[in-house]
Amino acid sequence: VLEAPELLHLVAATNPDLPVVLFVSDLTAAQTRAAIQAGASEVIHKSSPAKLATAVREAIAFARFRAQGGFE
């Protein structure tokens, strides 16, 4: 099992354009900020599972936008 920082580092090193949505059971506000700063697209708490599908759709849409030259 990978911890969030390890996962984000691995993804950044191997596929930096891959969006990562973390689905967590317990993360402090500071850990959430650190995960976003480390490259997480979104952090969703397991107590709010209804938000997960939207977060994944938005992360994929944003990744596609960037791949097509968005914000350049």
Side-chain angles (χ1 to χ4, degrees), residues 12-37:
T14 58
N15 192 349
D17 295 325
L18 181 69
V20 176
V21 175
L22 297 176
F23 191 51
V24 301
S25 60
D26 188 27
L27 217 57
T28 66
Q31 290 170 319
T32 299
R33 281 190 302 277
I36 296 294
Q37 290 172 344

Side-chain angles (χ1 to χ4, degrees):
V1 175
L2 291 176
E3 295 292 324
E6 294 169 307
L7 172 67
L8 293 167
H9 177 74
L10 178 63
V11 170
T14 58
N15 192 349
D17 295 325
L18 181 69
V20 176
V21 175
L22 297 176
F23 191 51
V24 301
S25 60
D26 188 27
L27 217 57
T28 66
Q31 290 170 319
T32 299
R33 281 190 302 277
I36 296 294
Q37 290 172 344
S41 301
E42 185 68 71
V43 178
I44 303 297
H45 198 275
K46 286 186 179 180
S47 65
S48 302
K51 295 179 180 181
L52 183 60
T54 300
V56 169
R57 278 193 297 273
E58 289 175 354
I60 291 169
F62 187 68
R64 286 181 179 154
F65 172 75
R66 284 186 24 214
Q68 295 172 352
F71 294 128
E72 288 185 357

